[in-house]
Amino acid sequence: MKIAIIGASAGIGAETVKSALKRGHSIRGLSRNNTSLPEHESLTKITGTALSADDLKNAIAGTDAVIVTVGTKKKKGTTLFSNLAKTLLMVTSELDYKGAVIIVTGFGTGESARYLTFFLRLVINLFLKDQYKDKTLLEKIIAESPMNWEFVKPGMLTNGPLTSNYKVISKLFKGVKINKISRADVADYLVKEAEHPRYLHHHIALTVA
């Protein structure tokens, strides 16, 4: 299948490209700098920004699914995620896009904030408060749209290996434990979910089993 990966060059995005290629998919990877991505006959590198409607349309048009792994190092006052949501909504509407749009946000956005441990709440409030506030706004914008969305909220990320030993939690509950998870495991879930979407219009938490 053809998959667009938005934010393809680093972190979860780079791992998702690697996983999707191994599984035989054709990838269109959008990022500001794609030099770190491998040369592969099934990978089309698109240099651009997810905030450009033209760049985003170039990446998404003709694909079967979209995976969004955009991140930022800016911790204060960012509006990247909410602006991305507006651009993504405009582009998918213009394309009349019907495929799954799977978006990585983070555990601690929206209603999931109620289930954070004291430690994670402290970390987010001290260092990532504005990012998570804007990610929550992204979720609100997208959730109110006709898009076939899914939000994926992993626990704290590591650079550990692929284990395929992770839990998919579609309904949070008191006492739920969301532990660290490798970027490789998150990527594995994203590609498999793009292949066979099971949780459209759901907020999914990912953690080690």
Side-chain angles (χ1 to χ4, degrees):
M1 64 187 297
K2 296 180 181 179
I3 303 175
I5 300 177
I6 313 302
S9 65
I12 295 172
E15 290 291 339
T16 304
V17 169
K18 188 189 307 181
S19 176
L21 290 175
K22 283 183 179 179
R23 294 179 68 83
H25 299 302
S26 176
I27 305 303
R28 297 180 66 81
L30 173 65
S31 189
R32 288 181 179 274
N33 185 345
N34 282 317
T35 56
S36 62
L37 291 175
E39 297 297 328
H40 195 288
E41 62 182 6
S42 296
L43 172 61
T44 300
K45 302 179 188 181
I46 302 172
T47 301
T49 169
L51 299 185
S52 162
D54 288 340
D55 293 342
L56 204 55
K57 186 178 293 185
N58 187 24
I60 293 175
T63 62
D64 303 302
V66 177
I67 297 173
V68 181
T69 62
V70 171
T72 179
K73 293 182 180 179
K74 183 178 180 181
K75 294 182 172 61
K76 297 293 184 180
T78 184
T79 58
L80 169 66
F81 304 103
S82 54
N83 287 336
L84 167 61
K86 294 169 187 175
T87 308
L88 187 60
L89 181 56
M90 179 176 65
V91 167
T92 54
S93 178
E94 289 178 0
L95 291 173
D96 193 25
Y97 192 78
K98 302 300 184 185
V101 181
I102 305 169
I103 305 172
V104 179
T105 54
F107 192 77
T109 59
E111 287 297 309
S112 68
R114 297 170 49 199
Y115 300 91
L116 287 168
T117 63
F118 173 79
F119 173 73
L120 286 178
R121 184 176 291 109
L122 183 63
V123 168
I124 290 172
N125 285 338
L126 286 176
F127 303 110
L128 300 169
K129 184 176 181 180
D130 287 355
Q131 281 196 22
Y132 274 64
K133 181 179 179 181
D134 199 47
K135 286 180 179 181
T136 296
L137 182 54
L138 173 151
E139 292 180 354
K140 183 176 187 297
I141 293 168
I142 298 295
E144 293 175 351
S145 79
M147 201 181 303
N148 284 320
W149 56 267
E150 177 183 333
F151 298 118
V152 178
K153 306 182 180 191
M156 291 183 67
L157 298 168
T158 76
N159 290 320
L162 172 66
T163 69
S164 298
N165 187 31
Y166 52 84
K167 289 197 296 187
V168 179
I169 301 173
S170 60
K171 188 174 182 179
L172 298 174
F173 53 91
K174 186 176 181 180
V176 65
K177 293 183 179 180
I178 306 298
N179 300 311
K180 294 179 180 179
I181 184 171
S182 72
R183 291 174 176 84
D185 276 338
V186 176
D188 184 71
Y189 172 79
L190 294 173
V191 176
K192 290 176 179 176
E193 184 67 7
E195 292 171 349
H196 304 288
R198 297 170 294 164
Y199 296 107
L200 294 182
H201 303 119
H202 281 73
H203 295 247
I204 297 301
L206 287 184
T207 184
V208 293

